[in-house]
Amino acid sequence: MKDKILVFIPMYNCEKQIVRVIDQLSGEVGKYLAEAIIVNNRSTDNGEEAVVEKIKESSFSFPVSVLRNVENYGLGGSHKVAFEYAIKHDFDYVIVLHGDDQGSIADLLPALKSGGYRKYDCCLGARFAPKSRLDGYSKFRIFGNHVFDFIFTVVMKRKVYDLGAGLNLYRVDMLKDRYFHTYPDNLTFNVYMLMATKAYEQHYCFFPLSWRETDQVSNAKVMSQAVKTLKMAVGFLIKGKEFLEQDSREKKIEQYEYQVVHREEGKQ
């Protein structure tokens, strides 16, 4: 039986890039998708309008919806919106594909074709895995990422190739106990999800990415992000699962709400 797979595209101020990401859903990969949602985290540019126009003029065999967060929840908060959507609508898997067009969903095609993803609770895209290709990455950023990958390899006692890139696949059954709800709503959300694979003994794998930086604008503040990440490594090393089970959000939100801005049904 064919799996019901949702693609979640988080969007924040990436008007130029998001339309290129929508194009990635065409072609061969579309055969494996049941639905796509673009979650607008209260962008201040014209990205939402650009997305609506793009999906109106496109022809997909599956529904595509544009959701708008009720408030700016952060990248982690947008993940929570999408995970709840996947749970509510009985999807089997959810693919996360960032809207800034750095990654390519085609990197998941080998696993989708073979069905190899079914062996794992999550498949994590890794910019620094063997056979990955980086375009436009500075040597300084590559070095810094390798340092933190090494730190988390020691902490997790398993080789880590990336703390969080913009292409991942998760089994929805694994998400149903909502262990992620109290994770930070900021850019460190993916690091918590990575640590959870160790704490909850999830079966996961890394896969190589084709990663590029061209006209993207990073929302990460390098030094503050590095300090936060180091503190997370120390906290998890000392407390383990207990560290993940504390509420690490700056603002406590009971329910991450959204509005459906636009929806296009699939064209047969």
Side-chain angles (χ1 to χ4, degrees), residues 65-83:
S65 298
V66 181
L67 314 183
R68 182 195 301 147
N69 291 343
V70 170
E71 59 182 280
N72 185 320
Y73 293 134
L75 179 62
S78 290
H79 275 74
K80 294 170 189 179
V81 167
F83 288 172

Side-chain angles (χ1 to χ4, degrees), residues 108-137:
L108 265 173
L109 264 176
L112 293 174
K113 287 180 178 179
S114 67
Y117 64 93
R118 297 188 183 101
K119 298 185 293 184
Y120 303 99
D121 294 312
C122 48
C123 299
L124 308 175
R127 292 162 293 178
F128 309 100
K131 298 183 180 180
S132 288
R133 299 188 301 278
L134 297 177
D135 182 15
Y137 245 54

Side-chain angles (χ1 to χ4, degrees), residues 108 111 116-117 119-126 158-159 161 168-169 194 197 202-208:
L108 265 173
Y117 64 93
K119 298 185 293 184
Y120 303 99
D121 294 312
C122 48
C123 299
L124 308 175
R158 181 175 177 180
K159 180 64 178 175
Y161 289 105
N168 299 305
L169 179 147
L194 175 64
T197 63
Q202 297 167 358
H203 195 32
Y204 69 101
C205 69
F206 288 104
F207 64 93

Side-chain angles (χ1 to χ4, degrees), residues 48-103:
E48 185 172 281
E49 293 83 354
V51 166
V52 171
E53 288 304 311
K54 183 67 176 179
I55 63 176
K56 279 182 178 179
E57 68 187 33
S58 301
S59 181
F60 298 111
S61 60
F62 49 86
V64 182
S65 298
V66 181
L67 314 183
R68 182 195 301 147
N69 291 343
V70 170
E71 59 182 280
N72 185 320
Y73 293 134
L75 179 62
S78 290
H79 275 74
K80 294 170 189 179
V81 167
F83 288 172
E84 290 292 344
Y85 189 97
I87 294 168
K88 178 180 178 181
H89 295 280
D90 298 317
F91 285 92
D92 297 307
Y93 293 87
V94 55
I95 294 172
V96 181
L97 174 65
H98 282 198
D100 57 8
D101 194 39
Q102 289 184 289

Side-chain angles (χ1 to χ4, degrees), residues 170-183:
Y170 297 96
R171 185 169 59 85
V172 175
D173 275 350
M174 177 192 72
L175 303 172
K176 287 181 178 178
D177 67 359
R178 296 169 173 82
Y179 63 89
F180 55 82
H181 186 78
T182 56
Y183 291 174

